[in-house]
Amino acid sequence: LNFYMRESDLKIQMTLPSLPDMVNDTGFIHVNDLLLHSEKLKIEDLFFGNNSSLVKDNLVFGLYKFLSDAGINIQHLSIADKEFKNVKGNIIFNQKSMNFKEVRFNSFGGEIKLESEYNLVNKGLILKMIVNGIDIKKMFETFSDSGKKTFTAKNISGKMDGSIEIFMNNDSAWAPDLHTLSANADIVIRDGKLINFTPLLSLKKYINEDLLKELNFSNLRNKIFISDG
């Protein structure tokens, strides 16, 4: 089955069992060897340009009835204008949750592996990620360079490895509720630089200012905890 939606394409491959085996008492439709493949998939296109919570709820309800267990192979994935490449893994639906298992993809010059569970009842998200070789400058350019900030992509370079866990709920419109956000991260930035970082420049009375303007380091490790948004 091939679908084309605005800028996106989606190909669904499956093996159909005999008709009595396709539907059981729970209402799930069972197929074998299900694979979702796309050359380019923009998540917003799945909602046909409609951002209402009703459309999203109905789409997810329809998906979980059909995609009880599916493989994923997406060459280019776009979510809120963020680009991810070579997305592969498994998506598992049941009546209460949507789970991503053994998902890996390329972004920001490195690789990200993740597993997540999204509760379809209370809209709670549990997300666990392992990141390897992420270009920290590219990541900051994507997420942190809007508005006036003390620390931006201009102030850092290097490669990031580590683990990140995020716990959060969405509101009734499926938007992230940052007041429920909590996160744990254990990250290492290697072969990095801190460039014109204002707090460091305040030490120029004690350390050569040229050294402070561009501070090189082999490994910089941080453990980060965020709670209550």
Side-chain angles (χ1 to χ4, degrees):
L1 300 175
N2 296 300
F3 299 92
Y4 298 92
M5 304 153 288
R6 296 173 176 254
E7 302 175 33
S8 302
D9 66 89
L10 181 63
K11 181 178 181 179
I12 301 177
Q13 296 175 282
M14 71 188 80
T15 302
L16 296 178
S18 62
L19 187 60
D21 295 330
M22 285 184 64
V23 182
N24 62 17
D25 294 337
T26 65
F28 279 91
I29 299 173
H30 292 279
V31 297
N32 300 321
D33 304 319
L34 183 60
L35 174 65
L36 305 181
H37 178 83
S38 176
E39 294 294 330
K40 181 179 181 181
L41 180 61
K42 189 174 182 179
I43 289 297
E44 290 83 352
D45 289 346
L46 293 177
F47 306 126
F48 305 102
N50 190 322
N51 201 40
S52 73
S53 60
L54 180 61
V55 170
K56 294 178 180 178
D57 286 340
N58 286 338
L59 176 64
V60 172
F61 178 78
L63 286 174
Y64 98 74
K65 284 290 187 179
F66 184 66
L67 304 180
S68 57
D69 190 348
I72 304 169
N73 185 1
I74 302 172
Q75 299 302 310
H76 298 275
L77 176 64
S78 174
I79 304 176
D81 296 324
K82 308 297 187 296
E83 297 291 331
F84 308 97
K85 297 180 179 180
N86 302 318
V87 182
K88 297 182 180 181
N90 293 283
I91 180 171
I92 301 170
F93 278 84
N94 58 48
Q95 291 176 313
K96 294 183 179 180
S97 65
M98 175 173 61
N99 304 286
F100 289 89
K101 299 291 186 182
E102 299 178 351
V103 175
R104 61 178 62 201
F105 55 90
N106 300 115
S107 190
F108 311 120
E111 184 183 59
I112 300 175
K113 303 175 184 178
L114 70 81
E115 296 204 357
S116 71
E117 178 179 348
Y118 186 75
N119 190 303
L120 298 173
V121 179
N122 62 26
K123 293 183 169 60
L125 172 68
I126 301 173
L127 177 64
K128 298 180 179 181
M129 293 186 291
I130 302 293
V131 299
N132 291 290
I134 298 298
D135 187 319
I136 193 74
K137 181 180 286 291
K138 288 182 179 180
M139 189 181 75
F140 268 83
E141 286 173 346
T142 301
F143 291 108
S144 301
D145 272 359
S146 59
K148 185 178 180 180
K149 297 180 182 293
T150 303
F151 194 82
T152 71
K154 297 177 181 179
N155 301 117
I156 193 167
S157 67
K159 298 290 186 179
M160 184 177 75
D161 306 322
S163 60
I164 304 168
E165 294 185 349
I166 297 173
F167 307 88
M168 183 173 57
N169 291 336
N170 284 355
D171 62 21
S172 58
W174 287 71
D177 182 357
L178 297 182
H179 295 291
T180 66
L181 172 66
S182 65
N184 291 291
D186 186 354
I187 60 175
V188 175
I189 301 173
R190 50 187 170 81
D191 301 323
K193 294 181 182 180
L194 287 174
I195 306 163
N196 292 323
F197 184 39
T198 302
L200 282 179
L201 294 177
S202 65
L203 300 173
K204 62 184 179 181
K205 292 182 180 179
Y206 313 102
I207 302 175
N208 186 297
E209 185 175 358
D210 290 336
L211 293 176
L212 295 173
K213 286 182 177 179
E214 189 171 298
L215 182 65
N216 295 276
F217 56 87
S218 57
N219 286 286
L220 178 64
R221 184 170 185 174
N222 276 289
K223 290 188 176 182
I224 302 169
F225 176 72
I226 300 173
S227 183
D228 297 326

